[in-house]
Amino acid sequence: MLLDVSKIEAFYGASQALFGVDLSVAEGEVVALMGRNGMGKTTTIRAICNLNPPRAGAVRLGGEDLKGRRPHHVAKLGIGLVPEGRRCFPNLTVYENLVAAARPGQWTLDRVNELFPRLKERQTQMARSLSGGEQQMLAIGRALMTNPRLLILDEATEGLAPVIRQDIWKAIRRLKADGLSILVVDKTLSELLPVADRGIILENGRSAWSGKPADLTMELQDRYLGV
Ligand SMILES: Nc1ncnc2c1ncn2[C@@H]1O[C@H](COP(=O)(O)OP(=O)(O)OP(=O)(O)O)[C@@H](O)[C@H]1O
Ligand SMILES: [Mg+2]
C-alpha cells in the first residue's frame, strides 16, 4: 500500500473527532473519502498530513511511519495536499506560486500549464486576482509541482462555477489515467464515483463503509450520504 491509515484517533482540544479511522490507497489508485458534513473527512486528511497529528493509530506512506514528522516533511515524503479552501500565496504571481513548490520530477511548469491552460494565460497575475476556480487550479498545480506520490484533494470543486468544475474533473481524470494515486473528497457523487476505484464512508469519525463504487447502492447513499 502506498498510504496505509490504521485506527487513527484525532482530537480538537478535549473533543474527539476521529475514533479509529482506517483507509488505504494503493499505487495508482483513486480512493473517494465520503461522508456528510462534519463526519471527519477534513480531520482525517489533516491527521494524515500531521497538521493535526493523530493521538492514536498510525499513518504510513510507502511503509514509512509518519509519526512525529512535521507537515513540511510529510510533503517532502510525497504527499501533495490541496486543502479545503484552496490556499495559495495571494501576493505571489501564478508563476511564483508554482515554482515556489517545485521539486524535480515529471511534473514541470510546462505540464501544469498544459493541464490548466487558464493558468498559462495568467502566469504574471497575482494569485489574489484569480477567480475562485482559477485559484483552485493553482492549488492543484502547486501540489503537482511537488511531484507527489499521493495527491490529496479536499473539496476541490466546492463552490465553483459548473464549467470550471468540469475542467477540474477532467484534470482529475487525466491524473488518474496518468497513474497518479489520489485520495479525493467531493460532494458531487455523479463525478466522484465514476473516477474512484474504491470508496470509504465516514460517519461520526468512524469508517462506516468501504467498497467499490458499484456496490454503493442507493440505500447506502441515502443512509450515509443523504441530506
Ligand atoms: N477547528 C476545529 N475545532 C473544533 N472542532 C472541529 C474543528 N474542525 C472540525 N471540528 C469538528 O470535527 C468534526 C469533523 O469535522 P471535519 O471538518 O473533519 O468534517 P468534514 O467531514 O470535513 O465536513 P465537511 O463536509 O463540512 O467539510 C466535526 O464535528 C467538526 O465540528
Ligand atoms: Mg471538510
PDB file of all heavy atoms in Angstrom, residues 143-170:
ATOM      1  N   ALA A 143       0.390  21.641  -5.889  1.00  0.00           N
ATOM      2  CA  ALA A 143       0.584  20.302  -5.316  1.00  0.00           C
ATOM      3  C   ALA A 143       1.288  19.386  -6.322  1.00  0.00           C
ATOM      4  O   ALA A 143       2.173  18.609  -5.954  1.00  0.00           O
ATOM      5  CB  ALA A 143      -0.756  19.714  -4.887  1.00  0.00           C
ATOM      6  N   LEU A 144       0.916  19.498  -7.593  1.00  0.00           N
ATOM      7  CA  LEU A 144       1.556  18.657  -8.613  1.00  0.00           C
ATOM      8  C   LEU A 144       3.032  19.006  -8.782  1.00  0.00           C
ATOM      9  O   LEU A 144       3.862  18.124  -9.012  1.00  0.00           O
ATOM     10  CB  LEU A 144       0.828  18.789  -9.957  1.00  0.00           C
ATOM     11  CG  LEU A 144      -0.569  18.185  -9.996  1.00  0.00           C
ATOM     12  CD1 LEU A 144      -1.261  18.550 -11.306  1.00  0.00           C
ATOM     13  CD2 LEU A 144      -0.522  16.670  -9.814  1.00  0.00           C
ATOM     14  N   MET A 145       3.345  20.289  -8.657  1.00  0.00           N
ATOM     15  CA  MET A 145       4.740  20.735  -8.810  1.00  0.00           C
ATOM     16  C   MET A 145       5.659  20.136  -7.751  1.00  0.00           C
ATOM     17  O   MET A 145       6.881  20.114  -7.923  1.00  0.00           O
ATOM     18  CB  MET A 145       4.824  22.267  -8.755  1.00  0.00           C
ATOM     19  CG  MET A 145       4.244  22.980  -9.960  1.00  0.00           C
ATOM     20  SD  MET A 145       5.164  22.747 -11.487  1.00  0.00           S
ATOM     21  CE  MET A 145       6.522  23.903 -11.245  1.00  0.00           C
ATOM     22  N   THR A 146       5.082  19.662  -6.645  1.00  0.00           N
ATOM     23  CA  THR A 146       5.908  18.982  -5.644  1.00  0.00           C
ATOM     24  C   THR A 146       6.203  17.534  -6.061  1.00  0.00           C
ATOM     25  O   THR A 146       6.906  16.825  -5.363  1.00  0.00           O
ATOM     26  CB  THR A 146       5.233  18.949  -4.250  1.00  0.00           C
ATOM     27  OG1 THR A 146       4.099  18.066  -4.293  1.00  0.00           O
ATOM     28  CG2 THR A 146       4.790  20.339  -3.809  1.00  0.00           C
ATOM     29  N   ASN A 147       5.601  17.132  -7.202  1.00  0.00           N
ATOM     30  CA  ASN A 147       5.765  15.752  -7.684  1.00  0.00           C
ATOM     31  C   ASN A 147       5.447  14.731  -6.597  1.00  0.00           C
ATOM     32  O   ASN A 147       6.300  13.919  -6.198  1.00  0.00           O
ATOM     33  CB  ASN A 147       7.151  15.563  -8.280  1.00  0.00           C
ATOM     34  CG  ASN A 147       7.170  16.073  -9.709  1.00  0.00           C
ATOM     35  OD1 ASN A 147       6.599  15.450 -10.607  1.00  0.00           O
ATOM     36  ND2 ASN A 147       7.751  17.246  -9.915  1.00  0.00           N
ATOM     37  N   PRO A 148       4.202  14.778  -6.126  1.00  0.00           N
ATOM     38  CA  PRO A 148       3.813  13.908  -5.017  1.00  0.00           C
ATOM     39  C   PRO A 148       3.648  12.452  -5.446  1.00  0.00           C
ATOM     40  O   PRO A 148       3.372  12.157  -6.610  1.00  0.00           O
ATOM     41  CB  PRO A 148       2.452  14.483  -4.596  1.00  0.00           C
ATOM     42  CG  PRO A 148       1.876  15.042  -5.866  1.00  0.00           C
ATOM     43  CD  PRO A 148       3.068  15.586  -6.629  1.00  0.00           C
ATOM     44  N   ARG A 149       3.810  11.568  -4.481  1.00  0.00           N
ATOM     45  CA  ARG A 149       3.472  10.158  -4.716  1.00  0.00           C
ATOM     46  C   ARG A 149       1.965   9.989  -4.540  1.00  0.00           C
ATOM     47  O   ARG A 149       1.361   9.074  -5.090  1.00  0.00           O
ATOM     48  CB  ARG A 149       4.192   9.269  -3.694  1.00  0.00           C
ATOM     49  CG  ARG A 149       5.688   9.391  -3.782  1.00  0.00           C
ATOM     50  CD  ARG A 149       6.351   8.591  -2.677  1.00  0.00           C
ATOM     51  NE  ARG A 149       6.225   7.154  -2.911  1.00  0.00           N
ATOM     52  CZ  ARG A 149       6.633   6.226  -2.049  1.00  0.00           C
ATOM     53  NH1 ARG A 149       7.165   6.591  -0.895  1.00  0.00           N
ATOM     54  NH2 ARG A 149       6.499   4.948  -2.331  1.00  0.00           N
ATOM     55  N   LEU A 150       1.389  10.833  -3.696  1.00  0.00           N
ATOM     56  CA  LEU A 150      -0.048  10.789  -3.417  1.00  0.00           C
ATOM     57  C   LEU A 150      -0.574  12.221  -3.434  1.00  0.00           C
ATOM     58  O   LEU A 150      -0.029  13.097  -2.766  1.00  0.00           O
ATOM     59  CB  LEU A 150      -0.291  10.179  -2.035  1.00  0.00           C
ATOM     60  CG  LEU A 150      -1.735  10.234  -1.517  1.00  0.00           C
ATOM     61  CD1 LEU A 150      -2.622   9.254  -2.281  1.00  0.00           C
ATOM     62  CD2 LEU A 150      -1.779   9.917  -0.017  1.00  0.00           C
ATOM     63  N   LEU A 151      -1.641  12.408  -4.201  1.00  0.00           N
ATOM     64  CA  LEU A 151      -2.300  13.718  -4.224  1.00  0.00           C
ATOM     65  C   LEU A 151      -3.569  13.608  -3.374  1.00  0.00           C
ATOM     66  O   LEU A 151      -4.336  12.646  -3.513  1.00  0.00           O
ATOM     67  CB  LEU A 151      -2.666  14.076  -5.670  1.00  0.00           C
ATOM     68  CG  LEU A 151      -3.381  15.423  -5.880  1.00  0.00           C
ATOM     69  CD1 LEU A 151      -2.438  16.595  -5.592  1.00  0.00           C
ATOM     70  CD2 LEU A 151      -3.919  15.528  -7.315  1.00  0.00           C
ATOM     71  N   ILE A 152      -3.770  14.591  -2.496  1.00  0.00           N
ATOM     72  CA  ILE A 152      -4.993  14.608  -1.687  1.00  0.00           C
ATOM     73  C   ILE A 152      -5.784  15.865  -2.031  1.00  0.00           C
ATOM     74  O   ILE A 152      -5.259  16.979  -1.931  1.00  0.00           O
ATOM     75  CB  ILE A 152      -4.686  14.582  -0.169  1.00  0.00           C
ATOM     76  CG1 ILE A 152      -3.858  13.340   0.188  1.00  0.00           C
ATOM     77  CG2 ILE A 152      -5.983  14.613   0.624  1.00  0.00           C
ATOM     78  CD1 ILE A 152      -3.596  13.183   1.685  1.00  0.00           C
ATOM     79  N   LEU A 153      -7.027  15.666  -2.444  1.00  0.00           N
ATOM     80  CA  LEU A 153      -7.894  16.780  -2.831  1.00  0.00           C
ATOM     81  C   LEU A 153      -9.064  16.853  -1.862  1.00  0.00           C
ATOM     82  O   LEU A 153      -9.865  15.925  -1.775  1.00  0.00           O
ATOM     83  CB  LEU A 153      -8.444  16.556  -4.241  1.00  0.00           C
ATOM     84  CG  LEU A 153      -7.428  16.416  -5.376  1.00  0.00           C
ATOM     85  CD1 LEU A 153      -8.110  15.889  -6.641  1.00  0.00           C
ATOM     86  CD2 LEU A 153      -6.760  17.757  -5.654  1.00  0.00           C
ATOM     87  N   ASP A 154      -9.160  17.966  -1.125  1.00  0.00           N
ATOM     88  CA  ASP A 154     -10.267  18.129  -0.171  1.00  0.00           C
ATOM     89  C   ASP A 154     -11.261  19.148  -0.734  1.00  0.00           C
ATOM     90  O   ASP A 154     -11.030  20.350  -0.644  1.00  0.00           O
ATOM     91  CB  ASP A 154      -9.726  18.583   1.194  1.00  0.00           C
ATOM     92  CG  ASP A 154     -10.784  18.465   2.303  1.00  0.00           C
ATOM     93  OD1 ASP A 154     -11.948  18.137   2.001  1.00  0.00           O
ATOM     94  OD2 ASP A 154     -10.424  18.715   3.476  1.00  0.00           O
ATOM     95  N   GLU A 155     -12.335  18.649  -1.321  1.00  0.00           N
ATOM     96  CA  GLU A 155     -13.402  19.502  -1.870  1.00  0.00           C
ATOM     97  C   GLU A 155     -12.865  20.483  -2.904  1.00  0.00           C
ATOM     98  O   GLU A 155     -13.139  21.685  -2.844  1.00  0.00           O
ATOM     99  CB  GLU A 155     -14.106  20.290  -0.749  1.00  0.00           C
ATOM    100  CG  GLU A 155     -14.488  19.440   0.448  1.00  0.00           C
ATOM    101  CD  GLU A 155     -15.965  19.065   0.482  1.00  0.00           C
ATOM    102  OE1 GLU A 155     -16.656  19.230  -0.549  1.00  0.00           O
ATOM    103  OE2 GLU A 155     -16.413  18.590   1.546  1.00  0.00           O
ATOM    104  N   ALA A 156     -12.156  19.943  -3.884  1.00  0.00           N
ATOM    105  CA  ALA A 156     -11.518  20.804  -4.887  1.00  0.00           C
ATOM    106  C   ALA A 156     -12.507  21.466  -5.839  1.00  0.00           C
ATOM    107  O   ALA A 156     -12.129  22.390  -6.556  1.00  0.00           O
ATOM    108  CB  ALA A 156     -10.484  20.004  -5.682  1.00  0.00           C
ATOM    109  N   THR A 157     -13.740  21.011  -5.883  1.00  0.00           N
ATOM    110  CA  THR A 157     -14.698  21.632  -6.806  1.00  0.00           C
ATOM    111  C   THR A 157     -15.796  22.397  -6.075  1.00  0.00           C
ATOM    112  O   THR A 157     -16.715  22.920  -6.702  1.00  0.00           O
ATOM    113  CB  THR A 157     -15.362  20.581  -7.733  1.00  0.00           C
ATOM    114  OG1 THR A 157     -16.211  19.733  -6.949  1.00  0.00           O
ATOM    115  CG2 THR A 157     -14.329  19.737  -8.451  1.00  0.00           C
ATOM    116  N   GLU A 158     -15.670  22.461  -4.752  1.00  0.00           N
ATOM    117  CA  GLU A 158     -16.695  23.096  -3.914  1.00  0.00           C
ATOM    118  C   GLU A 158     -16.902  24.572  -4.285  1.00  0.00           C
ATOM    119  O   GLU A 158     -15.949  25.340  -4.370  1.00  0.00           O
ATOM    120  CB  GLU A 158     -16.240  22.999  -2.446  1.00  0.00           C
ATOM    121  CG  GLU A 158     -17.130  23.692  -1.448  1.00  0.00           C
ATOM    122  CD  GLU A 158     -18.255  22.788  -0.956  1.00  0.00           C
ATOM    123  OE1 GLU A 158     -18.365  21.650  -1.440  1.00  0.00           O
ATOM    124  OE2 GLU A 158     -19.015  23.252  -0.094  1.00  0.00           O
ATOM    125  N   GLY A 159     -18.138  24.944  -4.516  1.00  0.00           N
ATOM    126  CA  GLY A 159     -18.469  26.354  -4.710  1.00  0.00           C
ATOM    127  C   GLY A 159     -18.006  26.972  -6.016  1.00  0.00           C
ATOM    128  O   GLY A 159     -17.950  28.193  -6.128  1.00  0.00           O
ATOM    129  N   LEU A 160     -17.660  26.141  -6.998  1.00  0.00           N
ATOM    130  CA  LEU A 160     -17.161  26.692  -8.258  1.00  0.00           C
ATOM    131  C   LEU A 160     -18.233  26.651  -9.348  1.00  0.00           C
ATOM    132  O   LEU A 160     -19.165  25.851  -9.286  1.00  0.00           O
ATOM    133  CB  LEU A 160     -15.933  25.907  -8.726  1.00  0.00           C
ATOM    134  CG  LEU A 160     -14.767  25.831  -7.739  1.00  0.00           C
ATOM    135  CD1 LEU A 160     -13.637  25.027  -8.339  1.00  0.00           C
ATOM    136  CD2 LEU A 160     -14.304  27.225  -7.339  1.00  0.00           C
ATOM    137  N   ALA A 161     -18.063  27.492 -10.344  1.00  0.00           N
ATOM    138  CA  ALA A 161     -18.986  27.515 -11.480  1.00  0.00           C
ATOM    139  C   ALA A 161     -18.926  26.177 -12.220  1.00  0.00           C
ATOM    140  O   ALA A 161     -17.861  25.551 -12.291  1.00  0.00           O
ATOM    141  CB  ALA A 161     -18.606  28.641 -12.427  1.00  0.00           C
ATOM    142  N   PRO A 162     -20.059  25.733 -12.770  1.00  0.00           N
ATOM    143  CA  PRO A 162     -20.118  24.419 -13.429  1.00  0.00           C
ATOM    144  C   PRO A 162     -19.039  24.187 -14.489  1.00  0.00           C
ATOM    145  O   PRO A 162     -18.474  23.101 -14.530  1.00  0.00           O
ATOM    146  CB  PRO A 162     -21.513  24.396 -14.051  1.00  0.00           C
ATOM    147  CG  PRO A 162     -22.329  25.310 -13.185  1.00  0.00           C
ATOM    148  CD  PRO A 162     -21.385  26.377 -12.702  1.00  0.00           C
ATOM    149  N   VAL A 163     -18.731  25.185 -15.305  1.00  0.00           N
ATOM    150  CA  VAL A 163     -17.736  24.909 -16.360  1.00  0.00           C
ATOM    151  C   VAL A 163     -16.349  24.694 -15.753  1.00  0.00           C
ATOM    152  O   VAL A 163     -15.562  23.888 -16.254  1.00  0.00           O
ATOM    153  CB  VAL A 163     -17.671  25.998 -17.474  1.00  0.00           C
ATOM    154  CG1 VAL A 163     -19.050  26.446 -17.863  1.00  0.00           C
ATOM    155  CG2 VAL A 163     -16.794  27.158 -17.123  1.00  0.00           C
ATOM    156  N   ILE A 164     -16.070  25.396 -14.669  1.00  0.00           N
ATOM    157  CA  ILE A 164     -14.769  25.226 -14.010  1.00  0.00           C
ATOM    158  C   ILE A 164     -14.704  23.867 -13.320  1.00  0.00           C
ATOM    159  O   ILE A 164     -13.680  23.173 -13.344  1.00  0.00           O
ATOM    160  CB  ILE A 164     -14.541  26.349 -12.977  1.00  0.00           C
ATOM    161  CG1 ILE A 164     -14.609  27.715 -13.649  1.00  0.00           C
ATOM    162  CG2 ILE A 164     -13.245  26.155 -12.235  1.00  0.00           C
ATOM    163  CD1 ILE A 164     -13.349  28.115 -14.347  1.00  0.00           C
ATOM    164  N   ARG A 165     -15.819  23.489 -12.692  1.00  0.00           N
ATOM    165  CA  ARG A 165     -15.874  22.139 -12.101  1.00  0.00           C
ATOM    166  C   ARG A 165     -15.545  21.091 -13.142  1.00  0.00           C
ATOM    167  O   ARG A 165     -14.789  20.156 -12.875  1.00  0.00           O
ATOM    168  CB  ARG A 165     -17.300  21.826 -11.637  1.00  0.00           C
ATOM    169  CG  ARG A 165     -17.690  22.461 -10.354  1.00  0.00           C
ATOM    170  CD  ARG A 165     -19.183  22.229 -10.182  1.00  0.00           C
ATOM    171  NE  ARG A 165     -19.590  22.860  -8.952  1.00  0.00           N
ATOM    172  CZ  ARG A 165     -19.957  22.189  -7.873  1.00  0.00           C
ATOM    173  NH1 ARG A 165     -20.029  20.877  -7.888  1.00  0.00           N
ATOM    174  NH2 ARG A 165     -20.268  22.822  -6.781  1.00  0.00           N
ATOM    175  N   GLN A 166     -16.135  21.247 -14.330  1.00  0.00           N
ATOM    176  CA  GLN A 166     -15.878  20.287 -15.403  1.00  0.00           C
ATOM    177  C   GLN A 166     -14.395  20.238 -15.740  1.00  0.00           C
ATOM    178  O   GLN A 166     -13.836  19.164 -15.942  1.00  0.00           O
ATOM    179  CB  GLN A 166     -16.687  20.662 -16.661  1.00  0.00           C
ATOM    180  CG  GLN A 166     -18.164  20.304 -16.556  1.00  0.00           C
ATOM    181  CD  GLN A 166     -18.368  18.890 -16.033  1.00  0.00           C
ATOM    182  OE1 GLN A 166     -17.742  17.941 -16.501  1.00  0.00           O
ATOM    183  NE2 GLN A 166     -19.220  18.753 -15.028  1.00  0.00           N
ATOM    184  N   ASP A 167     -13.764  21.415 -15.811  1.00  0.00           N
ATOM    185  CA  ASP A 167     -12.321  21.457 -16.118  1.00  0.00           C
ATOM    186  C   ASP A 167     -11.527  20.700 -15.056  1.00  0.00           C
ATOM    187  O   ASP A 167     -10.561  19.997 -15.356  1.00  0.00           O
ATOM    188  CB  ASP A 167     -11.823  22.909 -16.149  1.00  0.00           C
ATOM    189  CG  ASP A 167     -12.262  23.632 -17.424  1.00  0.00           C
ATOM    190  OD1 ASP A 167     -12.773  22.960 -18.343  1.00  0.00           O
ATOM    191  OD2 ASP A 167     -12.101  24.866 -17.471  1.00  0.00           O
ATOM    192  N   ILE A 168     -11.943  20.874 -13.796  1.00  0.00           N
ATOM    193  CA  ILE A 168     -11.192  20.227 -12.720  1.00  0.00           C
ATOM    194  C   ILE A 168     -11.419  18.714 -12.730  1.00  0.00           C
ATOM    195  O   ILE A 168     -10.469  17.936 -12.589  1.00  0.00           O
ATOM    196  CB  ILE A 168     -11.523  20.877 -11.368  1.00  0.00           C
ATOM    197  CG1 ILE A 168     -10.912  22.293 -11.365  1.00  0.00           C
ATOM    198  CG2 ILE A 168     -11.000  20.046 -10.195  1.00  0.00           C
ATOM    199  CD1 ILE A 168     -11.161  23.105 -10.146  1.00  0.00           C
ATOM    200  N   TRP A 169     -12.647  18.281 -12.968  1.00  0.00           N
ATOM    201  CA  TRP A 169     -12.882  16.836 -13.076  1.00  0.00           C
ATOM    202  C   TRP A 169     -12.113  16.236 -14.241  1.00  0.00           C
ATOM    203  O   TRP A 169     -11.569  15.134 -14.141  1.00  0.00           O
ATOM    204  CB  TRP A 169     -14.382  16.522 -13.198  1.00  0.00           C
ATOM    205  CG  TRP A 169     -15.078  16.624 -11.880  1.00  0.00           C
ATOM    206  CD1 TRP A 169     -16.025  17.541 -11.519  1.00  0.00           C
ATOM    207  CD2 TRP A 169     -14.872  15.788 -10.729  1.00  0.00           C
ATOM    208  NE1 TRP A 169     -16.420  17.332 -10.218  1.00  0.00           N
ATOM    209  CE2 TRP A 169     -15.731  16.269  -9.717  1.00  0.00           C
ATOM    210  CE3 TRP A 169     -14.041  14.702 -10.463  1.00  0.00           C
ATOM    211  CZ2 TRP A 169     -15.778  15.674  -8.449  1.00  0.00           C
ATOM    212  CZ3 TRP A 169     -14.084  14.114  -9.206  1.00  0.00           C
ATOM    213  CH2 TRP A 169     -14.951  14.598  -8.221  1.00  0.00           C
ATOM    214  N   LYS A 170     -12.065  16.980 -15.329  1.00  0.00           N
ATOM    215  CA  LYS A 170     -11.313  16.496 -16.487  1.00  0.00           C
ATOM    216  C   LYS A 170      -9.841  16.329 -16.113  1.00  0.00           C
ATOM    217  O   LYS A 170      -9.213  15.322 -16.460  1.00  0.00           O
ATOM    218  CB  LYS A 170     -11.476  17.503 -17.641  1.00  0.00           C
ATOM    219  CG  LYS A 170     -11.107  16.966 -18.987  1.00  0.00           C
ATOM    220  CD  LYS A 170     -11.547  17.952 -20.080  1.00  0.00           C
ATOM    221  CE  LYS A 170     -10.390  18.223 -21.008  1.00  0.00           C
ATOM    222  NZ  LYS A 170     -10.535  19.481 -21.752  1.00  0.00           N
TER     223      LYS A 170
END
